Structure formats: structure tokens, C-alpha cells
Amino acid sequence: MKFLKNIWAGLFMLGNTLVCAQTAILDSGGPLTPEQAAYDVSFYDLNVKITPDTRELEGQVVVRAKVVQPMNQLVLDLDTLLTIREVWDLSNPQKPVAATYTRKVGKIWIDLGFTRQSGEQIQVRVLYGGKPRTAIRAPWDGGFTWSTTKSGAHWIATTCQSEGADLWWPCKDHVSDEPDSMALHVNVPEPLVAACNGKLLSTSKHKDGTQTFHWYISTPINIYNVALNIAPYRAIEGQYKSVAGESFPMVFYVLPEDYDKGRKLFTEIYDHMKFYEKLLGPYPFRADKYGVVQTPHLGMEHQSIIAYGANFSNGSMTGGKDWGFDALHHHEFGHEWWGNLVTNYDWKDMWIHEGFCTYMQALYMEELKGIKGYHEYMDGSRRFQNNLAVAPLTSQTSKQIYRAPIYAKGAWVLHALRAVIGKEALLRSLRRLCYANAKAEDIKDGRQCHFVTTLDFQLICEAESGKSLGWFFDVYLRQPFLPKLVSRVEGQQISLHWETPQNLPFTFPVEVKINGKIQRIDLGKETITLSFNPGDKPEVDPDRWGLYDIAK
């Protein structure tokens, strides 16, 4: 993980020296600046005190990092709504030094005094506080949600995927840099509970009527996944035996008034775990836990503590359609593999998070109801605009890539890929993207977490299928427009060929049903003609495996 992170940091620094621009305060990712590419975060130790009545926080974070390129300033991100109290350079633990700093828009430029060389360790402490940004439409915009339960108790949550974790704590806000581990200490008034990522080590009670929850995240984490969830929760707890052999804790933090509903969903959560482990390999974070927490917003894939706000409705994220399972939990849970175990190092490959999770629901329908259920789900999701490339080659911010149809079209790309390489090769490729081999499935100390690109997935699919697939990825992912199927019937013959955007190479198999029999033809841009008997009516792609427009 660290080796890959250092490589990507170097590549970003070289590749973006001339092109990097200031990413907007309320956005995350994009070209990494040379100053932030110069270091690699290894550990965050974050302490926050939440005062719900005034909607304020006071916090401090210790940042430990390794120098990748010579640097004399450490640049962190922090929302402009929050105030810096003090900054300390702790690089020499025996001699902490108050550090000078400047704030430029959403960044903190901390003076390190002298140039630090590659391989050196640096450590700073930032004390900060204020009233953090409030999320107006969580989880679609970021910040704190300050809500109340039916009984009037405080109910608080953070969301910051698009805007970045710097909305509420000082950090390096970029998807390419995950700390190896992290400590999180959350102080709240009693009887509120802070349900967070990782493993709960202890709880400290204080004379002022507050208590602090001490959490430790033992594996790398994308920092937009670090989350606060605060309410008078009750915990539903259990154990799950993984396909890897050992058992690990599962916990569902629910509001007291929804405890019985929570227990019912807890049973289904076990079913979802069984399905994902069967297809993709062991749950990645079994060294800590699998957690679910009831939230006042719809949901988010916060690592080891996914946010669940579906109100126990199966159709909460599917336009009211009940597919027979809790679609919100299934989707957010899928991100434990697609997003948290496997992470895009740049937002341009975000379809690997969202499109893959969407497709997993089609596979779950196939598990529950067979191929008919699979096709029903895919047909129901065939609504998207081909406005932007799903996986462009240029660096993207979070908000840029979410304008592209990375959910539904991403799933349909996998559906079409299945038609080309077959179900078994596709499933092997998905599992290999998660775990390179069977030995990797035994690892749970953090080394299992890794960055991937769309090209990585292409190469795995080629290895598993024995087919060259560059043409497929170029047409469906690198540019926005769909190929067009040209079909003409004249007399007792049907002629077929493809038209492609930018005249790109393309050979996609098409099924033609004539008189109840299906012929599969590898169709390219050259016309293929099939004959049929009088009275027969040819049907092209009867099961809708292809992803295309019809030429008019």
C-alpha cells in the first residue's frame, strides 16, 4: 500500500506541475499540487469535542507523514468556516515547536523551518474549532447534519464525499493518500453514543457529563469515509464466520425506537455478507468490525460503519421499487469492497466504486430469482444520458466525475462485458480485482487495501478471458457516446453492422433469434447478412445483452 501510494504521489507531482489548479474549497480530488504530492500521510490522531446545543466542535489532529520529495512547508486542507487555534511542529518529540502558518483559501501552509529530505518523518499538531458547515441536502452535499430523534434527542452525522474530509478536520484532502491507520476520539454529552469507524477500544466518562469514545482504525482508509454518527444508539451485536475461516464482530447501531426493526434487518445483513463473500472474497475489514449505523440522511459507504438512512424501506434508493431486498444497505455495503478495499487513486475511475456496486445488485437478483430476475433488474436501470465519459483519461474532481453516468451506465458496461467474455470470466475478474490470488484473501492487516485504475481492470479481464479488450474499454468508457446498431430487413434477409463514435474499432457479439433459434454472431463494422424463411420474423438481441443505440 505504501509502495503504491509513494509511486502515485510521485506521478502526480511530475504530471501536474504545469497543469495543477486550485481545487474549489467545496470539492475534492483533481490534480494533486506539487506541495501535497511531496508527502505521504501514514497516521492521523484526531480528537473532536462536539457540543450539539451550539452546533460547535473543538478539535486537534496530529498528522504523521513521510517526506517523498524535499519540502519546507506542509500543506493541509481545512474549510474556511473553521478557525486555527495553534499549530505545533512535533517532528522532534523532545522539543515541540510552535509553527508559523498562513491560510490561503481552503489550505493551511505550515512552515517547517528548514527543508526536510526524502525519507524523513514529519509530525505536526493542529488545534482548531468553530461551527462546521451544515449539510443542506445530505448526503448529496457535505457537512454536519444536526437532527433530532422522535424523542427529541440529538441525532448528528457527517457526510463529505464530494467536498472532502477537510469540511470538519485538517487533513490532506485527496483520494490518492490514505493513512495506514488512524485514531479517532469523540467527546459527546451523555447519554449520546459516538458510533465511528474501526474498533471501539474504550469509553471514558468525565465529570462534566460528557464521555469520550476511543476508536482505532487498523487499516488504510479513504478519509472521506471517516465519519461521526452521534445519537442515543442501542447496539445490536453478533458474530459472523467469514469464508476466510475466522469470526468477526457485526454491530448495528439503531435508534431506541427502531430497535425491533433493526433486529429484523440485522438478519438480512447476514445474507448480504454471505453473498458478497461468496462472489468477491472475504470481508476486508474483519480485523475491526462490520458496522451499520442508522443516520438522518439516506446513506454513505463509511468504512466499517456504513450509514443507513433508508427508514427500513427496500425501495428507498430505487424510486420506491421493492426488489425484494434492502437496496440501500446492499449498495452501501458493497462499497466495503468497491471503494474501501479497492479504491480509485483518482476520481476519474469512480465508476469502479459506483457502477460495480450497482451491478452487484443485478447479480444479487440473479442469486435470488435466477437469470430472469437479473434481466429484470438490468432493464429497469437502462436510463441514463451519454453526456460524459464514464472513465475519462484526465484527472477529475469528485464533483466532476459525479456528473457522468457512473452508476447505471457503469453497471451496463459490466453487463455488456459479460456478453463478450462470459459470466465466469467476469466473476473471476471481479474477484481478482479485489484479491490478486487466494493467498491475498487471508490478509487483514491493511495490506489487502489497494488502489486500482480502469486499465488494471481491463488487463485482468484480458488475462481471465484470453481476449483483447482495448476496443471495448475505449468505446464504452473513454468517451461518452454509444455505438449504433444498424439493422436492415430486405426480403428474407437481415443485414447488421456497427457504427461507432470517432470510427473506433468495435466487434461486439449480437444474438439474432429466428424461428425460435438463437444465432450468436461476432459483429463488427463490416456488414453481415443472415437469411430467414418466409413468415419468420428475426429478433435482434432478444435478451438485451448489448449496450447501444439503434441507427435511424
Side-chain angles (χ1 to χ4, degrees):
M1 186 70 182
K2 297 298 289 186
F3 175 72
L4 286 173
K5 286 165 65 179
N6 290 342
I7 288 179
W8 290 128
L11 288 174
F12 269 119
M13 188 169 184
L14 291 172
N16 292 306
T17 299
L18 298 179
V19 301
C20 64
Q22 178 70 47
T23 299
I25 295 174
L26 297 183
D27 205 351
S28 181
L32 189 62
T33 64
E35 292 82 6
Q36 289 194 312
Y39 70 92
D40 172 30
V41 176
S42 58
F43 185 72
Y44 291 106
D45 191 341
L46 175 60
N47 285 263
V48 289
K49 179 176 182 177
I50 305 299
T51 307
D53 290 339
T54 59
R55 298 187 175 185
E56 292 181 292
L57 71 78
E58 288 294 325
Q60 67 170 1
V61 63
V62 174
V63 183
R64 299 177 193 167
K66 180 180 179 180
V67 178
V68 176
Q69 299 288 338
M71 55 185 284
N72 58 14
Q73 289 181 308
L74 178 69
V75 180
L76 299 174
D77 299 282
L78 184 65
D79 192 358
T80 52
L81 294 186
L82 295 171
T83 301
I84 302 295
R85 312 296 193 205
E86 300 174 8
V87 178
W88 289 82
D89 183 349
L90 308 179
S91 298
N92 182 350
Q94 280 71 44
K95 287 188 176 182
V97 177
T100 59
Y101 64 91
T102 57
R103 299 194 72 175
K104 300 177 183 178
V105 194
K107 296 189 184 296
I108 313 166
W109 295 68
I110 301 171
D111 186 2
L112 298 176
F114 58 90
T115 300
R116 310 300 171 91
Q117 303 301 316
S118 299
E120 288 188 40
Q121 301 291 325
I122 54 177
Q123 182 168 285
V124 300
R125 177 188 291 122
V126 180
L127 284 73
Y128 71 104
K131 290 191 174 185
R133 195 172 299 271
T134 297
I136 306 301
R137 288 178 58 252
W140 295 278
D141 62 3
F144 272 69
T145 297
W146 307 92
S147 185
T148 55
T149 68
K150 291 179 181 178
S151 64
H154 289 292
W155 191 12
I156 303 164
T158 57
T159 52
C160 56
Q161 179 172 5
S162 294
E163 296 81 3
D166 60 314
L167 280 191
W168 62 282
W169 55 286
C171 58
K172 179 179 174 180
D173 175 30
H174 203 276
V175 68
S176 66
D177 197 349
E178 298 180 350
D180 297 332
S181 56
M182 180 171 175
L184 179 58
H185 315 272
V186 186
N187 178 268
V188 294
E190 292 190 79
L192 298 179
V193 173
C196 301
N197 316 83
K199 181 184 296 185
L200 182 61
L201 299 183
S202 63
T203 304
S204 304
K205 293 185 181 293
H206 310 293
K207 293 180 179 179
D208 63 356
T210 66
Q211 56 185 341
T212 301
F213 293 82
H214 303 277
W215 293 90
Y216 179 71
I217 306 161
S218 68
T219 58
I221 186 169
N222 191 320
I223 58 172
Y224 82 78
N225 274 317
V226 178
L228 303 182
N229 304 283
I230 300 167
Y233 290 119
R234 287 186 66 185
I236 302 168
E237 298 180 272
Q239 291 283 316
Y240 184 88
K241 186 171 183 179
S242 170
V243 293
E246 76 270 48
S247 295
F248 59 88
M250 292 175 62
V251 58
F252 188 5
Y253 290 95
V254 297
L255 300 182
E257 55 263 39
D258 289 326
Y259 186 78
D260 291 337
K261 293 179 182 178
R263 289 192 63 83
K264 183 178 178 181
L265 180 57
F266 200 53
T267 300
E268 185 177 336
I269 289 171
Y270 277 77
D271 295 334
H272 293 182
M273 179 71 75
K274 183 178 179 181
F275 167 75
Y276 268 95
E277 284 208 326
K278 174 185 173 182
L279 263 63
L280 302 180
Y283 171 66
F285 308 107
R286 54 197 186 277
D288 289 343
K289 70 172 183 308
Y290 176 60
V292 183
V293 61
Q294 193 175 353
T295 54
H297 61 84
L298 183 61
M300 187 61 69
E301 62 263 29
H302 299 141
Q303 183 171 306
S304 76
I305 188 71
I306 71 109
Y308 176 81
N311 198 28
F312 304 95
S313 169
N314 286 354
S316 62
M317 69 167 291
T318 56
K321 172 72 172 180
D322 185 349
W323 292 98
F325 62 94
D326 193 302
L328 187 280
H329 176 266
H330 194 278
H331 178 88
E332 303 301 354
F333 175 50
H335 282 303
E336 295 284 44
W337 284 262
W338 306 124
N340 301 342
L341 168 64
V342 172
T343 306
N344 52 208
Y345 83 92
D346 186 276
W347 292 114
K348 64 187 175 65
D349 294 311
M350 189 66 180
W351 81 288
I352 294 175
H353 296 205
E354 303 294 6
F356 282 43
C357 275
T358 303
Y359 186 67
M360 294 301 295
Q361 297 200 326
L363 293 175
Y364 194 56
M365 281 294 291
E366 187 173 7
E367 183 90 352
L368 296 177
K369 298 183 180 180
I371 194 66
K372 183 178 179 181
Y374 170 87
H375 280 293
E376 182 184 0
Y377 186 90
M378 291 307 304
D379 288 344
S381 65
R382 183 61 169 86
R383 295 184 299 274
F384 46 81
Q385 291 183 329
N386 296 289
N387 54 341
L388 294 168
V390 172
L393 291 170
T394 56
S395 179
Q396 302 283 294
T397 68
S398 177
K399 290 191 175 181
Q400 285 175 329
I401 198 60
Y402 270 92
R403 297 187 187 105
I406 57 177
Y407 287 80
K409 186 175 180 180
W412 264 83
V413 168
L414 294 175
H415 173 71
L417 181 60
R418 174 173 171 170
V420 175
I421 67 175
K423 178 182 177 181
E424 294 308 313
L426 176 60
L427 292 182
R428 290 196 304 271
S429 299
L430 293 175
R431 190 161 185 142
R432 275 200 58 200
L433 193 61
C434 291
Y435 294 104
N437 49 53
K439 189 174 182 180
E441 296 184 7
D442 294 331
I443 299 171
K444 59 179 183 178
D445 61 5
R447 290 175 295 141
Q448 72 274 23
C449 300
H450 55 285
F451 293 115
V452 299
T453 67
T454 297
L455 179 59
D456 293 327
F457 182 54
Q458 176 188 327
L459 295 175
I460 289 172
C461 290
E462 289 179 336
E464 291 299 326
S465 67
K467 296 182 178 182
S468 178
L469 296 170
W471 59 271
F472 180 95
F473 283 77
D474 287 344
V475 168
Y476 282 127
L477 294 167
R478 300 308 190 186
Q479 59 82 46
F481 306 109
L482 292 180
K484 292 182 178 180
L485 180 62
V486 182
S487 174
R488 298 285 186 268
V489 175
E490 294 181 352
Q492 273 70 62
Q493 289 186 324
I494 180 171
S495 61
L496 303 158
H497 71 271
W498 293 109
E499 291 179 354
T500 59
Q502 305 167 39
N503 203 29
L504 290 167
F506 192 70
T507 303
F508 190 91
V510 174
E511 293 181 344
V512 182
K513 187 176 183 179
I514 301 175
N515 194 22
K517 296 181 179 179
I518 292 180
Q519 298 182 59
R520 176 182 165 102
I521 58 175
D522 288 326
L523 184 65
K525 295 162 70 176
E526 298 295 326
T527 300
I528 291 180
T529 301
L530 300 176
S531 299
F532 54 90
N533 296 323
D536 290 340
K537 186 177 180 180
E539 187 179 356
V540 179
D541 191 19
D543 292 324
R544 296 198 65 180
W545 284 104
L547 177 56
Y548 53 83
D549 285 332
I550 299 293
K552 297 180 181 179

